[in-house]
Amino acid sequence: PVSYVVNFATGSATELSPESMPVLTVMKAELSKRPAPEVTVIGHTDRVGKLEGNDALSKKRAEAVRDILAGAGIKAASMDVAGRGEREPLVATADEVAEARNRRVEISIR
C-alpha cells in the first residue's frame, strides 16, 4: 500500500491547497501502474465548528478527492470514501482552533 495526504485551503470545503497539487500528479502516476487499485479516501477537518458540520465537511472533502480520481479514470466502485470529521487530528489542538494540517484527506492505494 501507498499513502498520500492532500490538504485544503482555509475556508474551503473542496479547494485543495496549492501545495497539494503536485501530490495529485504523483498519485495519478501511481494509480496508472496498478491494473485494479483499491483506494480508500478519508476526509478530516480541524476543530473549528460543530461536530455534525465537521462530519459533513470531511465527507464532502473525501468525495471531492474521489471525484478528482474518478476524473483521472479510477472507477468509483474501487474507492471507499469516509469522513472522520475532527475525531482524528494530525495535530492535537483545543476546540475551535484552526489548524491547516488537520484539514486533509488521506488516500491509501493498494
Side-chain angles (χ1 to χ4, degrees):
V2 180
S3 297
Y4 300 92
V5 175
V6 293
N7 294 93
F8 288 78
T10 302
S12 176
T14 58
E15 182 184 346
L16 293 174
S17 67
E19 300 81 23
S20 293
M21 300 314 283
V23 176
L24 286 178
T25 304
V26 172
M27 192 170 34
K28 288 176 186 177
E30 178 64 33
L31 285 164
S32 70
K33 297 178 197 174
R34 297 172 185 250
E38 294 177 20
V39 181
T40 303
V41 184
I42 301 173
H44 301 273
T45 66
D46 60 18
R47 298 202 56 201
V48 175
K50 297 195 180 285
L51 186 64
E52 298 81 16
N54 282 337
D55 285 346
L57 177 57
S58 66
K59 186 160 188 204
K60 189 172 185 177
R61 286 182 173 153
E63 289 169 346
V65 172
R66 176 203 58 205
D67 293 347
I68 291 168
L69 296 175
I74 305 305
K75 294 178 183 172
S78 69
M79 292 187 265
D80 290 324
V81 177
R84 298 276 200 276
E86 61 184 59
R87 289 174 186 79
E88 298 173 9
L90 187 63
V91 177
T93 66
D95 202 24
E96 298 303 319
V97 173
E99 172 54 61
R101 293 172 288 180
N102 289 337
R103 293 187 298 270
R104 70 194 191 282
V105 169
E106 298 172 341
I107 305 99
S108 177
I109 301 170
R110 304 187 285 187

